[in-house]
Amino acid sequence: MDLGIENKIAFVCASSQGLGLACAQALAAENVHIILNGRDESKLQSVVQRLRLNDPKTVVSYIAADLTTSLGREKIISSLQQVDILVTNNAGPQPGALSDWSEDALRNAMEANFIPAVQLIRAWLPGMQARGFGRIVNITSAMVKSPHYMMGLSTSARTALTAICKAISQDVAKDNVTINNLLPERIDTPRQEFMLQRLIAKEGISREEARLRNVQSIAARRYGSPQEFGAACAFLCSQQASFISGQNLQLDGGSYDGLI
């Protein structure tokens, strides 16, 4: 299927690895012009070289900047006058409990998983509206719909982003600008490896046992692949998805118990 987004310009937040990179790769396969982002310039350079080696026709560059700071966001925004596709993403806070959620912890969660996305949307949304095309995809979490106690800090900031984007989406749909959210759970990325190591340390079990325990909690009985996640992102960015907006698409192997 031709997704109809060739030569569009996409900025993908936190895309030197994991889910952000998977989305960038899927969009690059559609001949979208990709701008990667991360804090580690050498890592970004390596990813750019790898993408170009895989497909010499790939148009890819990067902006090394910390999304969580106003200076980092200013660097990004001033470098890009036009963005047609925005994929927001950032690492979540450390797992924890109520006793860990100080004012600073709460503020840091919002500065990582709420404020950067909103500020980038504010910067580029008017241009999308003027051109009559825009796709915004936020990578949030399945826990937006199914909160877990130890992930409450991350869930709260991502839920705030979900709410404000739902409100915005209803105002811009008439301009062929869509805003949707991807809700991952158990996608095989470095983040899942981090969570796996926490389980190993807590339970005193082997990596194989910890991984099997996680797999058994997934209805599909396997981890999701980054490529599957990236493909879902690319479709939401397509011309064919122009009538889908304000939605939360779960990628969890069918594990969610609810109806809505």
Side-chain angles (χ1 to χ4, degrees), residues 15-16 21 36 43-52:
S15 48
S16 64
L21 177 56
L36 301 172
K43 193 171 185 178
L44 288 166
Q45 289 173 342
S46 177
V47 172
V48 166
Q49 290 173 357
R50 191 164 75 247
L51 290 177
R52 288 175 177 165

Side-chain angles (χ1 to χ4, degrees), residues 17 34 37 44 75-76 78 127 143 171 174 218 224 240 253:
Q17 65 178 21
I34 305 297
N37 162 251
L44 288 166
K75 178 181 178 180
I76 293 166
S78 64
M143 293 180 193
D171 187 60
K174 65 183 182 300
I218 306 168
Q240 290 88 337

Side-chain angles (χ1 to χ4, degrees), residues 3-129:
L3 299 186
I5 51 177
E6 184 174 1
N7 296 325
K8 298 294 187 185
I9 299 170
F11 181 79
V12 186
C13 302
S15 48
S16 64
Q17 65 178 21
L19 298 179
L21 177 56
C23 292
Q25 289 172 313
L27 290 168
E30 298 297 322
N31 296 314
V32 173
H33 297 184
I34 305 297
I35 300 98
L36 301 172
N37 162 251
R39 290 175 294 184
D40 187 333
E41 186 161 9
S42 63
K43 193 171 185 178
L44 288 166
Q45 289 173 342
S46 177
V47 172
V48 166
Q49 290 173 357
R50 191 164 75 247
L51 290 177
R52 288 175 177 165
L53 184 63
N54 290 341
D55 185 353
K57 300 191 298 297
T58 297
V59 179
V60 58
S61 59
Y62 68 84
I63 300 175
D66 186 349
L67 286 165
T68 65
T69 68
S70 57
L71 285 177
R73 293 190 293 272
E74 286 171 12
K75 178 181 178 180
I76 293 166
I77 292 165
S78 64
S79 300
L80 294 172
Q81 299 305 309
Q82 176 178 334
V83 169
D84 305 304
I85 295 169
L86 169 63
V87 180
T88 77
N89 178 41
N90 211 356
Q94 293 284 341
L98 181 60
S99 58
D100 303 309
W101 300 337
S102 65
E103 280 195 37
D104 283 344
L106 293 168
R107 189 175 299 109
N108 290 341
M110 297 299 281
E111 288 176 351
N113 300 124
F114 176 70
I115 293 172
V118 176
Q119 294 306 303
L120 294 181
I121 290 169
R122 286 183 67 233
W124 292 319
L125 184 62
M128 293 178 180
Q129 291 177 275

